[in-house]
Structure formats: C-alpha cells, structure tokens
Amino acid sequence: MTFKVKLTKIQELINNKLEDLFNYPANIYQEKLFDSMKYSLNSGGKRLRPILLIETAKLFGDIDSEVYTAAIAVEMIHTYSLIHDDLPCMDNDDLRRGNPTNHIVYGVDTALLSGDGLLNSSYELISKAALNSNRPINVLKALSHLSMRAGVDGMIVGQVADIESDKSDDNTALTLEYINLNKTGALIEASMVCGALINGASDEDIEKISKIAFNLGLCFQLIDDILDIEGDEETLGKPVGSDEKNKKKTYPNIIGISEVKKLAFDLTIESKKLLNHIDGDTKFLDELFDYLLTRKY
Ligand code: GRG
C-alpha cells in the first residue's frame, strides 16, 4: 500500500470515529452546542495529531480502544484550540479550512462554549477509557501528560506568550522558539508521547519520542509560516498574508524565508534520524515526516 493510500485510510477511520461523537439524544440547548462542536470537528482537518498518536502507539504494541479514544480526544483538543484561536478576541478569522469559522456560523458565545465543551469531553473520554482499561495506569499517564501539554505548561502558555510578544518589541528567535514549541509543538508532542505511554514504551523511548515530536512541531509551525507567504489560498482554505497583515512575529520575518526552509529541512532530517533509533516499523512515520515537510495545506 502506498503512503498516500495508507494516509487516506487512517484519515477515514479517524473521521468515522469523530462522526460518531455527540449523536446521543440531546435537549434543545445541547442540540445547538453539539451542532457547533460537530461543525468544527467534522470540517476536514488533516487529522495529523491522531495519526501521530496511533502510528506512534503501533511502534510499541497493538492498537486497542484506549489508543483510538486518546487519538479522538487529541483531535477534540486541537479543534477547541482552533475555534478559540479564530475568535474575535484572538486572531479574529472568518475562514478556516475553506469554511466560515465557528463563531461566524454559531455566534461568539456558542463558539466559546463549544470549545470548552470539546476540551472537557476529551478528558472525560480518556478518563472513562482508563476506568474501563486493563492498563489504567498507562492511560492515566497519557491523560496526565496530555493535560499538562495542552494546558498552562504547554499550548495555553504558548498562546499567552504569542499575544504578549505581539504587544512588545521583543522579536528574538528565542522568544519565537518558546512560542512555537508551546503553542504548536506541545500538542504534537503530547500526541506522539500519549501513543507511546498507552502502549507502555520505556522511559528511554518516551524521551526519544518527545524529542522527535518537538522537532516535528517546530518544523510544522515553520511550514505554516511559509505557507502563509507562498501558499495557495484555495488549497489552504484561508487567506494568505495574514501574518504580515496582523504584523505577527514569525521566523520568515526574523531569519528570512530561505533560512526557514533550511531549518525545516534540518529538523525533519534530525527527526528521521532519531526515529531510526526506535525499534519497530517506522516506515509510515518516516514518510509522514517527509509529507509534512512538503505539505501544501
Ligand atoms: C484558551 C481562549 C483560549 C484560547 C486557546 C491555545 C489556543 C487558543 C490556540 C493555540 C492553538 C493554535 C491555533 C496553534 C497553531 C497551530 C496550527 C498551525 C494549527 C493548524 O493545525 P493543522 O494544520 O490544522 O493541523 P487542520 O486544519 O489540518 O486540523
């Protein structure tokens, strides 16, 4: 099976699992909330984080229901972060994946609450999976790691640093690295590490996976910055040039676009080398890292 076929298959599997969420009988208030949550969950993301979680878990064991649950939960957290990131008090974006953003369709109040709903439901799903698991400690370790990386020691502090740095004249590469490692890298790291934790990887392997994933997270943000300059609006599903318009501090602004491309390439090579030191079939992840380096959206 080619990489592209395998990628599509796993994306379809994740999409099916996401479509099964929030379909239970709802009262009239939940109905609007669930519609809003489902609107953003099922609007065509690449599903990178759940794919990373599942494929990392595969390196250390079989894929049982706990792995799928954590994968779905990570995508729910990612979706919440995008809904909140698009709000008028944050980036104030009208388009995401080619569709109107959640608050444009459902209003700012519902969009805010549907993000909150997705975040809480993600933790509810994983904690219930732990209660029903024959390896509850592994699942709880994953929950603990994920909540740390998605929270005030990860994604949220990355967002705060981003907002604060926009208000200041601090534009050092070091500040930008802190922002990107936390805002974007933390959830990517958590995805891979949670897959490894659930399947009982050793501390040594967890450390390697964490390093690989942080590299990948940084590279992912660099490519995002490049696409905001050189990307195609239709393919991206959002306007290009928004970093420039919003006077964002980005790597291309600080070190120039050709240096950014070189850095992204080097980070990918480094991740692939580290991946080589993990036992198990790493072929798909290796190809995924190449795909992420050359992605167009
Ligand atoms: C708590 C009020 C409040 C807000 C939270 C934490 C946060 C807002 C935002 C940070 C998350 C964020 C938008 C990070 C940027 C990462 C990024 C490049 C996202 C796009 O990821 P893709 O390309 O998206 O994987 P798809 O569309 O494929 O799912």
Side-chain angles (χ1 to χ4, degrees):
M1 210 187 303
T2 65
F3 168 75
K4 277 284 164 63
V5 173
K6 209 172 167 209
L7 181 67
T8 307
K9 264 180 169 286
I10 187 163
Q11 282 168 331
E12 279 170 5
L13 182 102
I14 292 160
N15 287 342
N16 290 339
K17 290 191 182 290
L18 289 168
E19 273 161 25
D20 284 346
L21 295 172
F22 308 110
N23 288 330
Y24 55 88
N27 65 39
I28 50 164
Y29 304 113
Q30 283 174 317
E31 250 171 45
K32 183 175 181 192
L33 182 68
F34 289 178
D35 277 353
S36 160
M37 289 156 73
K38 289 194 288 188
Y39 174 78
S40 293
L41 261 185
N42 301 322
S43 67
K46 291 183 287 297
R47 312 311 190 196
L48 166 67
R49 293 149 193 85
I51 292 172
L52 285 171
L53 194 151
I54 292 167
E55 293 299 321
T56 306
K58 273 186 195 164
L59 301 178
F60 303 101
D62 293 335
I63 304 306
D64 293 335
S65 66
E66 297 95 324
V67 172
Y68 286 124
T69 301
I72 296 313
V74 161
E75 188 68 6
M76 289 160 78
I77 295 177
H78 168 62
T79 306
Y80 123 78
S81 82
L82 299 182
I83 295 173
H84 281 193
D85 198 52
D86 291 334
L87 286 172
C89 62
M90 298 273 167
D91 281 0
N92 195 18
D93 280 321
D94 293 350
L95 266 186
R96 160 100 37 205
R97 301 167 179 157
N99 299 310
T101 46
N102 196 294
H103 65 272
I104 296 291
V105 180
Y106 294 95
V108 170
D109 42 12
T110 300
L112 181 76
L113 292 165
S114 67
D116 296 340
L118 286 165
L119 177 64
N120 281 283
S121 297
S122 72
Y123 295 142
E124 184 186 344
L125 279 183
I126 303 182
S127 51
K128 280 183 177 158
L131 288 173
N132 292 319
S133 175
N134 57 12
R135 44 185 175 159
I137 298 296
N138 287 4
V139 183
L140 284 174
K141 278 184 187 172
L143 177 60
S144 165
H145 190 78
L146 178 61
S147 52
M148 188 255 294
R149 292 289 189 228
V152 297
D153 283 320
M155 186 172 72
I156 290 181
V157 71
Q159 179 78 352
V160 171
D162 193 10
I163 293 167
E164 291 305 317
S165 97
D166 280 347
K167 293 183 204 155
S168 77
D169 46 18
D170 170 6
N171 63 352
T172 61
L174 210 61
T175 304
L176 207 53
E177 188 179 83
Y178 177 84
I179 293 169
N180 292 337
L181 281 175
N182 284 286
K183 181 178 154 168
T184 309
L187 198 57
I188 290 179
E189 193 262 5
S191 304
M192 292 188 75
V193 168
C194 283
L197 283 170
I198 294 175
N199 272 355
S202 67
D203 289 350
E204 199 188 326
D205 279 340
I206 297 286
E207 209 172 299
K208 285 182 201 159
I209 294 288
S210 174
K211 171 92 181 94
I212 293 170
F214 269 129
N215 270 351
L216 195 70
L218 200 52
C219 178
F220 189 81
Q221 185 58 55
L222 297 180
I223 301 296
D224 226 62
D225 292 350
I226 294 170
L227 289 173
D228 191 66
I229 298 169
E230 296 185 342
D232 170 66
E233 294 199 343
E234 208 175 317
T235 315
L236 277 175
K238 60 179 185 182
V240 295
S242 67
D243 289 339
E244 183 68 33
K245 194 177 113 207
N246 297 325
K247 307 223 169 342
K248 297 287 296 181
K249 286 156 192 156
T250 62
Y251 272 96
N253 286 339
I254 295 179
I255 60 173
I257 198 148
S258 55
E259 273 303 304
V260 176
K261 285 180 183 171
K262 185 176 175 309
L263 185 55
F265 180 80
D266 290 347
L267 284 165
T268 303
I269 296 294
E270 159 108 6
S271 298
K272 284 157 65 96
K273 269 191 200 152
L274 287 166
L275 191 61
N276 236 337
H277 290 109
I278 307 250
D279 287 340
D281 184 359
T282 54
K283 185 167 181 278
F284 181 81
L285 279 174
D286 188 279
E287 288 176 331
L288 182 65
F289 293 179
D290 284 331
Y291 163 79
L292 291 174
L293 181 66
T294 54
R295 72 190 171 96
K296 301 288 176 242
Y297 71 101

